[in-house]
Amino acid sequence: MTSTSVEPGHLGAAELENAQIRRKSKGVIELKDEHGRRRTIQVDELTEADRELAEKFGYNPVFKREFGYLATFSFAVSISGLFATVATTFVYPLTAGGASSAVWAWLISGAGCMCIAASVAELVSAYPTCGGLYYTVSRLAPPKWVASISWVTGWLNLLGQVAGVASSEYGSAQLLLAAVSMGSDFSYSPTTGTTVGVMAALTVFTGLINSLPTWWMEKLTRTYVIFHVLVLVTCMIALLAKTDNKHNATYVFTDKEGSSGWTPSGFAWLFGFLSVSWTMTDYDATAHITEEIEEPEVKAPFAIFWAMAFTYVAGFLFNIVLAFCMGDPASILASPMEQPVAQIFYNSLGKGGGIFYTVSAFMIIQFVCWSATQSLARTFFAFSRDRLVPGSRFWVKIEPRTGIPLLAVWISVFWCIALNLIALGSYTAILGVFNVCAICLDWSYCIPIACKLMFNKFEPGPWHMGKLSKAVNAYACLWTAFVSIIFLFPTIRPVTATNMNYAIAFLGAILIASMIYWYAGGRKWYTGPIVETNILEGDSANDSDEKMNKFDHEV
């Protein structure tokens, strides 16, 4: 019998010295379930992607691979939810710096976001596991730093995703109630309490959708991208055709009359970056379903990069159309629906057209929530598999009838509702959730990207940038550092308790809680991504048969 050392990414730093994979002459993989029971199967019984997951990354293949090219691309597009997320966040550039902020902030910030997306796609191609970029730290950082760096990366990513789903569900509730208000000829105005109640109901509905088998999620996702593109294109054509008093090009590309109260106004103009960063984020959501994708090392990075490229170009055009057709900014900002873009639809397209496109935006952002919750649940599963989160033994369980981590879905639902309850105390505070979502997620991407640059341990997958890689990676990190500072500033002056930016409080709470949990016990049991499989090449098949018989007896 021969022994071969495991690569550093397979085990935590404390286990590296003694880690070995046993090999015998017949290709066999020994799997371990969440109860610690082991079984063995022949390597050739697995698909190529599942074999690589077990052999190269040390994880049990437990999901069915239902996602092909179209479904994966559609999933990646659905995460941005362009039509709806721009409608939800258009208020930020409009308040910050007027029409020019909506247009040029998208072009500038979108370029930085594309660098992050390309960098993420490159890492996902090399390490396609549902742990996402959190897992890549174990392959990119020195062994002694793996546990601490992956701990911070994992918690930032997890809480950023919770904030992302929570803010999307809140925006979804706002759009639905805006349509109701429009239908009542504005005799009904939604309250914050009503919005929170509708948000909670929609989040529970999202949980029910995500309780379906992966096959159903794939079918739902596959149709989404077609619906989204049709809504986006027809809306832009309708707005340009039906708006009577459009602004001229000079106004659209040069107006910077924001209402933030900042002096000089040029600094406030930078707050327009938030709309872009909130829309073009969660790049690694597709990574979190790679264990459900056929040929994930190719299809996942393809979907991530081209979905973001579509969002970048189409979002730039959509913002230009909105700027041409929005009318008086002060008027739409004072809309009784509290939804400036829904008010633009109503003003330009009338009651029927306004309701149709507002409801369409609501449906699209619901797709965002469904996809993002699927990604979040898989993240809970992946992090629980490595014992990163409390209650890991619950969230790692796979429901046998549906093949999904059902408890991980519902813990995701719980935390998204709990976070949005902040709005009952302060509507302004909930806006900080939008900010902290972009900050946490982008930091969780740039930490592994920085490790790739600093430690030179990266082994590229099929999708990579070649000679451009380091330059794109470096710009992604620099851009993230720059916009993170911007997003922590208050967006309105003078600053009061009712209009301050609570993102810095949320970010501080996240980092402090993570550190407390680490020193309270996490550092004692968490050693980084773990091994669930052994690769066996046996000089006799008897060992395998004996192990299988033992496993069957235990079950």
XYZ file of all heavy atoms in Angstrom, residues 34-35 377 380-385 387 389-400 404-412:
261
model
N -23.212 12.719 7.115
C -23.186 13.674 8.236
C -23.187 12.996 9.597
O -22.930 13.633 10.619
C -24.391 14.632 8.132
C -25.746 13.995 8.362
C -26.358 13.486 7.062
O -25.604 13.288 6.086
O -27.585 13.297 7.024
N -23.495 11.678 9.643
C -23.484 10.936 10.901
C -22.140 10.248 11.145
O -21.982 9.543 12.136
C -24.595 9.885 10.903
C -25.962 10.472 10.691
N -26.555 11.329 11.589
C -26.821 10.340 9.649
C -27.740 11.681 11.126
N -27.928 11.108 9.945
N -29.065 29.135 0.845
C -29.252 27.839 1.510
C -28.082 26.908 1.239
O -27.621 26.177 2.134
C -30.555 27.201 1.041
N -25.268 28.014 3.469
C -25.451 27.474 4.816
C -25.025 26.004 4.858
O -24.349 25.566 5.794
C -26.912 27.606 5.257
C -27.175 28.766 6.154
C -27.875 29.875 5.702
C -26.735 28.761 7.472
C -28.128 30.953 6.532
C -26.975 29.832 8.318
C -27.676 30.935 7.849
N -25.425 25.250 3.827
C -25.051 23.833 3.768
C -23.529 23.671 3.695
O -22.943 22.881 4.435
C -25.707 23.187 2.541
C -25.157 21.829 2.213
C -25.620 20.698 2.859
C -24.145 21.679 1.260
C -25.090 19.446 2.562
C -23.616 20.435 0.964
C -24.094 19.314 1.622
N -22.896 24.415 2.775
C -21.446 24.274 2.576
C -20.672 24.676 3.819
O -19.707 24.004 4.217
C -21.009 25.122 1.380
N -21.088 25.774 4.464
C -20.383 26.231 5.660
C -20.629 25.287 6.834
O -19.749 25.097 7.684
C -20.814 27.651 6.014
C -20.330 28.698 5.036
C -19.580 28.359 3.926
C -20.644 30.036 5.227
C -19.137 29.314 3.026
C -20.198 31.013 4.332
C -19.451 30.642 3.233
N -21.817 24.696 6.878
C -22.102 23.720 7.934
C -21.282 22.457 7.725
O -20.847 21.817 8.690
C -23.595 23.380 7.937
O -24.373 24.524 8.214
N -21.079 22.095 6.465
C -20.258 20.928 6.138
C -18.852 21.077 6.711
O -18.221 20.099 7.107
C -20.216 20.791 4.612
C -19.488 19.608 4.076
C -19.790 19.422 2.591
N -19.396 20.570 1.770
C -19.594 20.641 0.458
N -20.205 19.656 -0.166
N -19.213 21.699 -0.218
N -18.283 22.968 9.429
C -18.467 23.332 10.846
C -18.185 24.812 11.105
O -17.668 25.180 12.157
C -17.567 22.469 11.754
C -17.586 20.973 11.474
C -18.946 20.345 11.706
N -18.876 18.895 11.575
C -19.228 18.233 10.471
N -19.648 18.895 9.405
N -19.167 16.913 10.426
N -20.636 27.324 11.023
C -21.767 28.019 11.637
C -22.347 27.191 12.780
O -22.237 25.957 12.791
C -22.863 28.322 10.595
C -22.343 29.263 9.531
C -23.386 27.042 9.947
N -22.991 27.847 13.754
C -23.625 27.102 14.844
C -24.742 26.201 14.311
O -25.414 26.530 13.331
C -24.198 28.220 15.733
C -23.440 29.452 15.374
C -23.102 29.310 13.929
N -24.957 25.077 14.974
C -26.005 24.148 14.565
C -25.711 23.437 13.262
O -26.640 23.027 12.552
N -24.441 23.264 12.936
C -24.045 22.715 11.642
C -24.713 21.376 11.330
O -25.065 21.101 10.185
C -22.521 22.537 11.588
O -21.875 23.779 11.622
N -24.894 20.540 12.342
C -25.429 19.203 12.076
C -26.859 19.232 11.564
O -27.332 18.262 10.952
C -25.334 18.339 13.343
C -26.145 18.827 14.520
C -25.751 18.094 15.794
N -26.526 18.527 16.946
C -27.630 17.935 17.359
N -28.094 16.883 16.698
N -28.282 18.368 18.411
N -27.567 20.348 11.776
C -28.929 20.478 11.251
C -28.929 20.948 9.795
O -29.629 20.408 8.950
C -29.747 21.446 12.102
C -29.939 21.006 13.519
C -29.297 21.653 14.557
C -30.762 19.924 13.817
C -29.458 21.249 15.865
C -30.946 19.510 15.129
C -30.288 20.176 16.158
N -28.158 21.994 9.517
C -28.223 22.643 8.205
C -27.557 21.814 7.108
O -27.748 22.079 5.929
C -27.573 24.030 8.259
C -27.802 24.771 9.542
C -26.861 25.401 10.291
C -29.045 24.953 10.248
N -27.419 25.955 11.422
C -28.764 25.694 11.430
C -30.351 24.553 10.020
C -29.741 26.051 12.340
C -31.348 24.899 10.947
C -31.036 25.642 12.082
N -26.804 20.772 7.503
C -26.119 19.949 6.508
C -26.983 18.766 6.055
O -26.624 18.049 5.128
C -24.780 19.444 7.085
C -24.999 18.242 7.998
C -23.786 19.121 5.995
N -28.130 18.583 6.668
C -28.983 17.438 6.346
C -29.669 17.634 4.992
O -30.211 18.700 4.716
C -30.049 17.234 7.427
C -29.481 16.773 8.768
C -30.587 16.565 9.770
C -30.032 16.165 11.130
N -29.378 14.856 11.091
N -29.657 16.603 4.172
C -30.313 16.612 2.873
C -31.663 15.898 2.993
O -31.730 14.755 3.459
C -29.453 15.916 1.797
C -28.104 16.633 1.653
C -30.186 15.865 0.462
C -28.196 18.046 1.130
N -32.733 16.571 2.609
C -34.054 15.954 2.609
C -34.109 14.890 1.503
O -33.961 15.208 0.316
C -35.113 17.032 2.353
C -36.499 16.531 2.011
C -37.091 15.617 3.077
O -36.955 15.938 4.277
O -37.672 14.588 2.680
N -34.308 13.614 1.850
C -34.202 12.550 0.849
C -35.244 12.624 -0.262
O -34.983 12.214 -1.388
C -34.368 11.261 1.681
C -35.014 11.692 2.959
C -34.557 13.092 3.210
N -32.608 18.329 -1.383
C -32.116 19.667 -1.055
C -31.931 19.797 0.459
O -32.553 19.067 1.233
C -33.074 20.764 -1.576
C -34.498 20.575 -1.005
C -33.140 20.754 -3.086
C -34.996 21.721 -0.250
N -31.076 20.735 0.905
C -30.892 20.955 2.348
C -32.056 21.781 2.918
O -31.987 23.002 3.035
C -29.564 21.712 2.417
C -29.477 22.438 1.116
C -30.167 21.582 0.093
N -33.142 21.118 3.248
C -34.399 21.797 3.590
C -34.262 22.707 4.806
O -34.766 23.843 4.814
C -35.481 20.748 3.831
C -36.908 21.288 4.020
C -37.369 22.018 2.765
C -37.869 20.146 4.346
N -33.602 22.223 5.852
C -33.454 23.051 7.050
C -32.596 24.286 6.769
O -32.832 25.357 7.346
C -32.843 22.224 8.183
C -33.713 21.090 8.722
C -32.965 20.319 9.806
C -35.028 21.628 9.262
N -31.622 24.142 5.862
C -30.803 25.295 5.486
C -31.635 26.345 4.769
O -31.400 27.551 4.906
C -29.643 24.843 4.594
N -32.628 25.904 3.995
C -33.541 26.850 3.332
C -34.298 27.673 4.367
O -34.376 28.904 4.286
C -34.537 26.096 2.425
C -35.650 27.033 1.948
C -33.819 25.477 1.237
N -34.812 27.011 5.391
C -35.689 27.714 6.336
C -34.927 28.523 7.381
O -35.455 29.510 7.898
C -36.673 26.726 6.969
C -37.687 26.341 5.940
C -37.702 25.213 5.170
C -38.786 27.142 5.509
N -38.749 25.254 4.289
C -39.435 26.416 4.465
C -39.295 28.375 5.880
C -40.562 26.912 3.816
C -40.421 28.876 5.242
C -41.047 28.146 4.216
N -33.690 28.150 7.680
C -32.894 29.050 8.538
C -32.549 30.314 7.765
O -32.466 31.413 8.329
C -31.618 28.347 9.069
C -30.938 29.185 10.169
C -30.613 28.065 7.964
C -31.757 29.366 11.416
N -32.390 30.200 6.438
C -32.158 31.372 5.588
C -33.374 32.289 5.626
O -33.256 33.515 5.770
C -31.877 30.936 4.144
O -30.770 30.070 4.061
